[in-house]
Amino acid sequence: MSSIKLTSDSTYPFSSAVMHLVELLFVSSLSVATFALDNGLMRVPPMGWLAWERYRCDIDYVFTRPHTRLSEDGWRELGYVYVNIDDCWSSMKRDDNGRLQADPKDSQEASINWHATCMTGVSSWASTGTWAHTCGGYPGTTLDKIELDAQTFADWEVDMFKFDGCYSNATEQEQGYPLMSKALNATGRPIGYSCSWPAYQGGLPPKVNYTQLGEICNLWRNYGDIQDSWDSVLKIINWFFENQDVLVSAAGPGKWNDPDMLIAGDFGLSMEQSRSQMAIWAIMAAPLFMSNDLRTINSGARSILQNKIAISINQDPRGIPGRSILKEKSGIDVYWRPLSKNASALVFFSRRNDMPYRYQTTLSKLNYTTGSYQIYDVFTEKTMTLKDSTSFVVSVNPTGVVMWYVSAPAKRNIRQFYRGGRLQGSLFDDDENRISPVFL
Ligand SMILES: *[C@@H]1O[C@H](CO)[C@@H](O)[C@H](O)[C@H]1NC(C)=O
Ligand SMILES: *[C@@H]1O[C@H](CO)[C@@H](O)[C@H](O)[C@H]1NC(C)=O
Ligand SMILES: *[C@@H]1O[C@H](CO)[C@@H](O)[C@H](O)[C@H]1NC(C)=O
Ligand SMILES: *[C@@H]1O[C@H](CO)[C@@H](O)[C@H](O)[C@H]1NC(C)=O
Ligand SMILES: *[C@@H]1O[C@H](CO)[C@@H](O)[C@H](O)[C@H]1NC(C)=O
């Protein structure tokens, strides 16, 4: 994978506004002390479009003009700013100076078109590097080519770079991933760095050192590639939450676990399942890279991917990934993510295949402290107030979710008073935690 972002470069004036907006929004998170790769990038999970799942080596996807669609169809304003190409874009031969080059035969027309569009609008472009070969058999980046290729990508004004791991062994990876991080830094261009290293080493300690990854990479693929099916999404969800004790502490501002692309708008998921993927990716603080055809995406998938509350939960500046907190025998899982301002997100997910299931619980059973909470249902847009002890029922569709934004608890109302032997005023000061209209 590799990438382009709607850049802040002055050659592309259209995009500079976005980047400044992004910087403004997330400036507050910069003060959080973490040990992340020190390139100032990706303090919240990166968002954008990525060719691979939908298009693989069919490089003609450039004619779908994903960057234009991102700009013109409201995606960019929501944070989807990276345009990532992947493997198979390059020539089978490096040029006379040993530099990677675009394929002069197959993709010349495509790349001309691509660059022409860049000039009028959005981005630079990026690409994938690997070792002896890329996964698709194109020229790879062996250890001796790391500095040259990093410089080439910087010269091309690439904003994000993924170093895949095909055709390399553990020793080369141990040397190559940190070396590439240094080489990208040495170019002077801030380039988001995505590492496939853990995915090639089973994703878990002791083979994978997440402390080190957090110091050298902005994001990393921990596990296998996503495919266009619910089975594939479910396999990924299961692996990430089975290993949450390792993975949750690995991630934070500037360093993210990457469970792979969003596939809403493709062929394999129902609307319920698309919502489930969006909700659980938001809970995981996962990068949101869609892989779909933005020209023909249906309105249902679009509204799921453009759901502002799901996105703002994903982009929460504290950057703490959520956890699976309950797995009920009934097939309902509950996921919880702590957010800024003492708010949180809850997802009720059904593994059932039979019918909508009415799940009954209380917030105190989910370990919420005493108080009154404002609830915003992310996909139905309904709001309500719930006390910790109030029993409630959520109806969760098969393979679907109910997702809530939960405010901070309101404290007991100090303005309560007795009159005529009766308590007057409401028990909780509900104004205190009213969901901010700015957030909505
Ligand atoms: C390179 O690393 C240094 C030290 O960690 C950091 O201050 C600087 O911002 C980095 N530059 C880029 C372009 O990533
Ligand atoms: C890894 O690859 C390098 C370069 O191809 C080779 O020299 C080395 O012996 C390999 N190491 C292992 C453990 O296979
Ligand atoms: C993991 O990496 C960190 C930072 O590079 C290092 O300090 C630590 O010793 C490593 N842990 C192991 C078990 O190798
Ligand atoms: C969050 O909760 C803690 C502990 O209850 C409290 O001390 C803190 O003031 C709260 N922060 C905000 C922003 O409400
Ligand atoms: C609630 O907290 C208790 C004690 O820390 C813990 O054992 C339990 O698993 C938690 N339950 C949930 C649903 O988080």
Side-chain angles (χ1 to χ4, degrees):
M1 168 177 83
S2 32
S3 132
I4 326 189
K5 181 170 63 177
L6 318 184
T7 77
S8 57
D9 192 301
S10 56
T11 340
Y12 314 127
F14 193 34
S15 57
S16 62
V18 191
M19 284 315 298
H20 289 296
L21 183 61
V22 170
E23 279 157 23
L24 276 179
L25 282 173
F26 302 130
V27 90
S28 58
S29 64
L30 292 176
S31 55
V32 181
T34 56
F35 302 99
L37 174 59
D38 190 12
N39 60 4
L41 298 175
M42 302 182 177
R43 307 299 297 177
V44 294
M47 297 172 65
W49 184 90
L50 202 168
W52 190 255
E53 195 292 313
R54 176 72 179 252
Y55 293 101
R56 315 288 159 136
C57 279
D58 177 9
I59 205 83
D60 282 354
Y61 62 76
V62 294
F63 296 115
T64 72
R65 297 171 158 263
H67 37 339
T68 310
R69 296 274 55 84
L70 288 182
S71 294
E72 292 179 2
D73 299 343
W75 300 96
R76 196 191 50 163
E77 285 74 11
L78 294 167
Y80 290 97
V81 295
Y82 287 95
V83 182
N84 297 357
I85 67 174
D86 204 288
D87 206 343
C88 310
W89 55 271
S90 81
S91 165
M92 280 297 183
K93 276 195 174 153
R94 287 171 177 266
D95 73 11
D96 293 344
N97 299 316
R99 286 163 60 109
L100 292 169
Q101 56 184 340
D103 189 329
K105 179 168 53 71
D106 296 333
S107 62
Q108 190 177 39
E109 203 184 342
S111 70
I112 288 167
N113 174 288
W114 186 266
H115 286 293
T117 323
C118 290
M119 297 317 287
T120 60
V122 237
S123 44
S124 56
W125 63 297
S127 130
T128 185
T130 21
W131 311 76
H133 306 283
T134 70
C135 299
Y138 290 77
T141 302
T142 42
L143 293 175
D144 57 310
K145 294 283 195 301
I146 282 178
E147 284 176 24
L148 177 65
D149 289 357
Q151 192 55 55
T152 304
F153 293 126
D155 293 346
W156 288 342
E157 301 184 1
V158 160
D159 298 297
M160 178 178 155
F161 171 74
K162 179 187 178 195
F163 208 14
D164 211 317
C166 291
Y167 303 107
S168 64
N169 64 37
T171 318
E172 292 169 298
Q173 289 169 13
E174 221 171 284
Q175 297 174 354
Y177 281 102
L179 265 181
M180 179 57 85
S181 186
K182 277 207 185 108
L184 291 170
N185 177 282
T187 68
R189 181 178 177 81
I191 296 176
Y193 181 34
S194 168
C195 299
S196 297
W197 190 8
Y200 285 87
Q201 296 301 330
L204 296 172
K207 279 194 170 173
V208 176
N209 182 340
Y210 279 107
T211 311
Q212 184 189 11
L213 275 168
E215 290 166 357
I216 65 167
C217 313
N218 293 114
L219 63 156
W220 46 79
R221 285 283 311 286
N222 316 63
Y223 189 65
D225 286 357
I226 200 164
Q227 309 295 345
D228 194 356
S229 76
W230 177 238
D231 274 358
S232 173
V233 173
L234 205 50
K235 240 171 89 182
I236 292 172
I237 292 171
N238 291 343
W239 188 85
F240 273 80
F241 289 102
E242 275 158 20
N243 296 300
Q244 65 182 356
D245 290 340
V246 169
L247 300 175
V248 164
S249 58
K255 45 178 193 177
W256 307 104
N257 297 309
D258 181 2
D260 215 3
M261 292 158 271
L262 294 168
I263 53 170
D266 293 322
F267 309 102
L269 302 191
S270 68
M271 281 303 138
E272 290 301 328
Q273 293 162 351
S274 302
R275 268 190 281 275
S276 296
Q277 195 196 12
M278 186 70 181
I280 293 173
W281 263 233
I283 287 288
M284 286 195 279
L288 301 180
F289 293 126
M290 316 175 271
S291 189
N292 49 21
D293 186 344
L294 293 174
R295 296 170 306 176
T296 57
I297 187 171
N298 66 62
S299 60
R302 178 196 306 261
S303 70
I304 291 166
L305 294 165
Q306 294 195 344
N307 185 295
K308 285 185 186 167
I309 310 302
I311 291 172
S312 56
I313 289 169
N314 173 270
Q315 299 280 291
D316 186 79
R318 281 179 82 189
I320 301 172
R323 302 178 151 268
S324 163
I325 58 167
L326 267 183
K327 282 177 90 70
E328 301 278 17
K329 286 205 184 72
S330 60
I332 301 296
D333 287 2
V334 184
Y335 301 96
W336 169 83
R337 181 175 173 191
L339 303 172
S340 334
K341 297 182 189 150
N342 286 350
S344 61
L346 276 175
V347 168
F348 305 94
F349 168 55
S350 174
R351 294 176 176 272
R352 300 178 69 102
N353 292 302
D354 51 357
M355 64 191 176
Y357 184 79
R358 289 171 59 78
Y359 177 64
Q360 181 170 355
T361 188
T362 63
L363 287 177
S364 58
K365 280 189 190 151
L366 305 176
N367 279 353
Y368 278 74
T369 52
T370 307
S372 161
Y373 295 81
Q374 305 287 329
I375 308 292
Y376 184 86
D377 186 307
V378 172
F379 293 111
T380 66
E381 302 180 9
K382 291 197 176 107
T383 56
M384 64 179 147
T385 305
L386 269 186
K387 271 183 265 170
D388 58 290
S389 56
T390 310
S391 182
F392 63 83
V393 173
V394 283
S395 178
V396 194
N397 292 342
T399 67
V401 288
V402 168
M403 184 179 204
W404 285 359
Y405 171 85
V406 183
S407 74
K411 302 194 182 63
R412 276 183 182 279
N413 188 354
I414 50 168
R415 292 188 293 274
Q416 274 194 319
F417 56 94
Y418 281 94
R419 183 189 287 156
R422 283 208 172 158
L423 199 56
Q424 308 285 318
S426 66
L427 184 57
F428 292 102
D429 186 359
D430 287 334
D431 279 340
E432 222 178 74
N433 65 349
R434 204 161 295 294
I435 296 170
S436 144
V438 176
F439 177 76
L440 301 181

